[in-house]
Amino acid sequence: MVGKTYRFAIIEQLLADGIRYMFGNPGTVEQGFLDALWDYPELKYILTLQETVAVMAADGYARATGNVAIVQLHSTPGVGNGIGALYQAKRGHSPLVVIGGDSGVKYQGLDAQMAGDLVAMAEPVTKWSTMVVDAASVLRVLRRAIKIASTPPRGPVYVCLPQDILDQPVVEPIRPTSIPSTRVRPDDETLKAAAQLLATAQKPMIFMGDGIAFSGAQAELTQVAEILGAEVWEADNGELNMSQAHPLYQGATGHMFGFQSKPILAKGDVNLVSGTYIVPEVFPELGDVFAPDAKVIHIDLNGYEIAKNHPVDIGIVSDPKLTLGRLAELLAEVLTPEQKAAAQKRVTEITNAKQAKLQADLAHDREIRDDVPLHLSRFMEELAALLPEDAIIFDEALTNSPAIPRYRPTTQPRHYFLTRGGSLGVGIPGAIGAKLANPDKTVFGFTGDGGGMYTIQALWTAARHDVNAKFVVCNNRSYRILQYNIQQYWKEIEVPERDFPLSFDLSKPEIRFDEIARSMGVAAVRVEKPEQIVPAIQQALAHQGPFLIDLVLEGNVRPEMIGVRCGQ
């Protein structure tokens, strides 16, 4: 590194850590190390037109690979633009390392143009936020950032690298980052106590989240569920933590209202929680959520989440894969023949109930199958028959999401990603990141019309870099989720239903996603009728390059009222 400056060294450090993509939007104060990228063609820069897209595409890439992704942001305005997406990444535990620019340490006393407390801005939406103020620690700090982002609870970090620091000569060696192992298991006495408690259950319940996927504990969790005959529910989930086709898998508890989740949480007499917390909702239940006298066992690598909001009887800070694997062995030993028979009876009952619900949902879908405007259920029925078995789905369909696993239940880890964290717009950029991580697999990204418009510039990035991902915009011309939520609010405050606020209505002027896509270099079709669905899917799959389907769905909209009602 003799004679080189840190604008080169940081790239060599990233390459030493196996990083091959950087997602960003350039600014003047980052020009030095962006110029240095010419010398390192093995590190590809994915250019986005807005910082939110950069963060969300990196989020998708990190989720699809399971590894750190690098984001480059400009100084104060750039960080500000990325805050919402960083919040999403933090809530979803995405291991992102955000490299931020700044004009220089020497200018910080002048309150110059674009000056700001960058570290403080990023701090609420990151695991760690820092600025390098001495060149002798650039690589040390960068390695620490990679380690912190990669270590449970994983999440984004922010490192500001001022330009005058990067122009200093290198005085540090480059070496791969040391990532500590978190493969830890509790003592057998603790696990035997948990097994004995679970063995007594008449109605065992399992609640799990993305800590299962991080640990690779899907098989062990499934084995425990099968031994116990327990319903398995997801909470705070975005990854595939259990096969969606498994008869014990029940879906998610919900993310909005605590009173909707409480009947599920209150079912069990012994509850096993792993890889999540209880309960991730916008309006959570303020009182107890489990049944009176119910027992709770909580296993997680993130000790902060254990007993955070509700008491537990046995809390275990450990790796879910090792812990659940040993727990399964102990359960097989301690369950009596009668308990094993009762568990198998529960498996049969849960299987039959899930199958009955599926058949009822499919029967309802058949009733509306030929409706115009369309329903996503018809589109998914056709798509499921045409998708390759190893296709990947990135799901930001929100209110339309239930139809996706109903027709295309995913069984393989890292083949289904659900939006998480609450920020809109991840569907298109997330699919771009997932496709970059899986160039040999078909990737479909679903978004809504509301969410799609948050990051529509991502289509340009897909065209620019020839990312062969496919996008579906569920275009119901509204913020449908807000319509659902206000209906619940009206019930709570006991007022009669009325027209939805027109601020939830996107029907006028009409948004033509197919035309927008084509203007950005992405091939597209608009689908409005049942007979158009299969040809559109076939065209998307055959097309070499990004492709968008503008899928017009049923919606509750009032375009005739827009511009008429005062104030709306």
Side-chain angles (χ1 to χ4, degrees), residues 347-389:
V347 169
T348 300
E349 291 171 348
I350 295 167
T351 300
N352 292 341
K354 180 175 180 177
Q355 186 62 27
K357 183 181 183 305
L358 174 61
Q359 292 306 315
D361 290 340
L362 293 174
H364 177 261
D365 290 346
R366 286 191 291 272
E367 293 175 3
I368 58 175
R369 187 174 184 272
D370 296 322
D371 283 4
V372 177
L374 299 165
H375 295 262
L376 187 62
S377 54
R378 175 64 185 272
F379 181 86
M380 282 308 305
E381 176 192 337
E382 307 288 10
L383 179 65
L386 296 170
L387 270 184
E389 186 176 341

Side-chain angles (χ1 to χ4, degrees), residues 173-305:
I174 291 170
R175 56 173 69 98
T177 300
S178 300
I179 308 294
S181 171
T182 54
R183 289 295 189 195
V184 292
R185 197 185 85 183
D187 62 281
D188 257 19
E189 290 306 309
T190 300
L191 283 179
K192 285 177 181 177
Q196 291 289 352
L197 198 56
L198 286 164
T200 66
Q202 301 297 309
K203 180 62 176 176
M205 296 283 287
I206 296 177
F207 301 95
M208 50 88 170
D210 289 342
I212 297 297
F214 168 76
S215 177
Q218 290 93 340
E220 290 79 6
L221 177 92
T222 302
Q223 186 180 13
V224 170
E226 290 171 347
I227 291 171
L228 291 172
E231 294 181 18
V232 182
W233 291 84
E234 292 194 281
D236 195 31
N237 60 294
E239 311 296 314
L240 189 86
N241 299 300
M242 184 179 186
S243 168
Q244 294 172 336
H246 196 284
L248 297 178
Y249 174 78
Q250 303 295 300
T253 58
H255 80 285
M256 188 60 63
F257 300 106
F259 73 86
Q260 292 176 336
S261 299
K262 188 173 180 179
I264 300 168
L265 293 159
K267 281 184 180 183
D269 55 352
V270 182
N271 302 281
L272 175 61
V273 182
S274 187
T276 188
Y277 71 98
I278 301 296
V279 185
E281 294 155 339
V282 178
F283 300 99
E285 192 74 18
L286 294 175
D288 293 337
V289 295
F290 295 112
D293 302 321
K295 303 299 181 184
V296 181
I297 301 159
H298 195 156
I299 300 165
D300 204 333
L301 275 169
N302 186 1
Y304 171 75
E305 301 294 5

Side-chain angles (χ1 to χ4, degrees), residues 471-538:
F471 312 105
V472 179
V473 178
C474 300
N475 187 356
N476 55 29
R477 293 149 291 145
S478 63
Y479 290 125
R480 172 67 66 82
I481 195 168
L482 298 183
Q483 294 177 341
Y484 285 174
N485 292 344
I486 201 170
Q487 285 179 317
Q488 190 55 57
Y489 174 70
W490 288 333
K491 289 179 183 177
E492 287 183 9
I493 63 173
E494 299 181 343
V495 300
E497 290 200 10
R498 58 184 120 187
D499 288 342
F500 295 120
L502 289 178
S503 55
F504 299 176
D505 190 319
L506 306 178
S507 63
K508 184 180 178 182
E510 182 181 43
I511 302 173
R512 289 291 302 244
F513 288 92
D514 55 332
E515 295 176 3
I516 294 172
R518 285 191 288 270
S519 76
M520 295 191 188
V522 174
V525 296
R526 185 173 174 93
V527 173
E528 300 175 281
K529 299 176 181 178
E531 61 269 21
Q532 297 172 330
I533 294 175
V534 170
I537 295 171
Q538 291 172 333

Side-chain angles (χ1 to χ4, degrees), residues 9-157:
I10 61 171
I11 298 172
E12 294 185 15
Q13 178 63 57
L14 297 178
L15 291 172
D17 281 312
I19 291 162
R20 295 296 179 265
Y21 287 102
M22 179 186 293
F23 301 83
N25 179 259
T28 302
V29 297
E30 302 86 36
Q31 59 194 358
F33 83 83
L34 294 177
D35 180 49
L37 286 171
W38 279 112
D39 296 343
Y40 304 93
E42 60 269 49
L43 181 61
K44 296 177 175 61
Y45 186 88
I46 303 301
L47 176 61
T48 69
L49 300 181
Q50 209 267 359
E51 290 82 357
T52 296
V53 177
V55 176
M56 288 184 168
D59 186 357
Y61 183 83
R63 294 177 67 178
T65 61
N67 298 321
V68 161
I70 303 297
V71 181
Q72 171 268 315
L73 296 182
H74 190 36
S75 57
T76 309
V79 172
N81 284 340
I83 290 293
L86 284 172
Y87 176 83
Q88 173 109 343
K90 184 180 182 184
R91 298 297 297 192
H93 303 295
S94 270
L96 307 184
V97 174
V98 180
I99 296 174
D102 183 75
S103 58
V105 174
K106 62 187 177 185
Y107 301 117
Q108 289 181 1
L110 301 179
D111 191 25
Q113 181 74 358
M114 291 194 292
D117 192 342
L118 293 163
V119 172
M121 286 177 65
E123 205 161 29
V125 292
T126 56
K127 276 187 70 179
W128 184 52
S129 180
T130 191
M131 175 185 287
V132 178
V133 295
D134 189 307
S137 291
V138 170
L139 302 184
R140 178 184 296 112
V141 169
L142 188 53
R143 286 191 293 268
R144 185 188 305 169
I146 292 170
K147 186 201 77 165
I148 290 172
S150 304
T151 306
R154 301 201 300 175
V157 300

